[in-house]
Amino acid sequence: MTIRFNCPGCNALIAFADKHSGKAARCTTCGQRFIIPLKSSESPKKVEPPEEKAGPLPGFYRAVFVDSWKLFVRPQNATGLVFAAAAVCFKFFTGHTDYSCTIGTGFRFQAPTGLVVTLAAWGCLFWYYMEIIHSTALDVEELPEVLMGGFFGFIWNVMVSLFVFSIALVFVLLPGIVYFAISKKAGVAWHVLVYAGLFVFPMAILTFSVGRDIGMVFRPDYLLKPIAKAFRPYLVAFGLFALAWEIQLRTSGYGQLMDKANSIVALHLLANLAVQGIAIIAMRSIGLFYRHYSCHFAW
């Protein structure tokens, strides 16, 4: 059943499934926040915006470079760290496997185990990244608990996380993709455009992780205004993200190292695990950026 009503701010027609009744929501037209009514005949209750902060909170750099390391030594964070390490190990040792085979007179049985495990592992990591950003933005100092809602919740969270990261990545890289398609030239200009797009990527993920509305990613004012107002702190968050990105690109899985010495395999596995340590700090720094500079956000 669908609940239909008019926005209390701009009178735009809005519709929600009845399972969302009683929850807070936001009008995508004017940004007015309200409580979704129980039925269509009722008017939504306005939610007044919180009092704006006078300015940024101090201590951003200390929170990123000093306090973040405490996450790795506190016992209450062990579950989250093991969760991330397990996802890395699964994709490292299983990502190359493919049990597809031809049966009988030409029937091809598809069993790309490695691809499925790799996508599931990255989906788990992407989900946990967004949970870290969200909890950090809401003043939580520890890593979030790993609660994916059982088997079906696990599948749903993996699929949604892969979708969100893919959409955000395509959106920020779209100018570079269009340029390459038109000019047919790669080279330095292509790499510059790629990193120019990636520069906005942490803000895109922050916007969805905290706002919980993928449509907000397509609002340039939501993405660019906080960056312009707090450029240096954002540069720190992007630098950590870019470092994790670059190291990940240069690490290999077990399938590419099967003929190498065990020491080489161990080094690549350690590098993959180290990337996740850097990624956790990078995601925390993105959440800290919102926490300390929320006065610059339009939402």
Side-chain angles (χ1 to χ4, degrees), residues 97-117:
T97 57
D98 189 336
Y99 296 106
S100 300
C101 59
T102 302
I103 301 176
T105 59
F107 175 74
R108 183 69 175 171
F109 176 72
Q110 299 293 335
T113 309
L115 177 61
V116 173
V117 171

Side-chain angles (χ1 to χ4, degrees), residues 79-246:
T79 303
L81 295 175
V82 170
F83 174 77
V88 170
C89 290
F90 271 114
K91 70 181 181 65
F92 181 83
F93 288 109
T94 317
H96 65 285
T97 57
D98 189 336
Y99 296 106
S100 300
C101 59
T102 302
I103 301 176
T105 59
F107 175 74
R108 183 69 175 171
F109 176 72
Q110 299 293 335
T113 309
L115 177 61
V116 173
V117 171
T118 299
L119 290 175
W122 277 118
C124 289
L125 291 171
F126 292 160
W127 169 80
Y128 200 55
Y129 292 163
M130 289 190 291
E131 290 297 305
I132 292 173
I133 294 172
H134 184 260
S135 62
T136 303
L138 299 181
D139 297 332
V140 178
E141 290 297 333
E142 309 300 337
L143 291 178
E145 297 183 15
V146 181
L147 300 172
M148 299 192 76
F151 176 75
F152 292 106
F154 170 82
I155 298 297
W156 173 255
N157 285 318
V158 165
M159 293 177 62
V160 169
S161 302
L162 289 171
F163 174 75
V164 169
F165 267 70
S166 299
I167 290 296
L169 192 60
V170 170
F171 175 71
V172 299
L173 294 180
L174 190 59
I177 295 172
V178 172
Y179 169 82
F180 179 71
I182 295 175
S183 65
K184 304 296 184 181
K185 296 179 180 179
V188 177
W190 165 247
H191 296 292
V192 170
L193 285 173
V194 166
Y195 270 91
L198 287 178
F199 185 73
V200 187
F201 185 73
M203 180 57 69
I205 295 302
L206 168 61
T207 301
F208 178 79
S209 299
V210 179
R212 302 295 189 181
D213 181 357
I214 197 169
M216 296 169 66
V217 175
F218 303 99
R219 291 283 302 269
D221 55 328
Y222 285 179
L223 300 182
L224 301 180
K225 180 182 176 181
I227 297 176
K229 293 287 186 178
F231 182 77
R232 290 183 180 179
Y234 183 79
L235 192 61
V236 169
F238 170 73
L240 290 167
F241 163 76
L243 178 61
W245 174 281
E246 282 295 327

Side-chain angles (χ1 to χ4, degrees), residues 67-88:
D67 297 340
S68 292
W69 296 101
K70 300 175 183 177
L71 297 174
F72 301 98
V73 297
R74 291 173 178 161
Q76 56 266 44
N77 294 327
T79 303
L81 295 175
V82 170
F83 174 77
V88 170

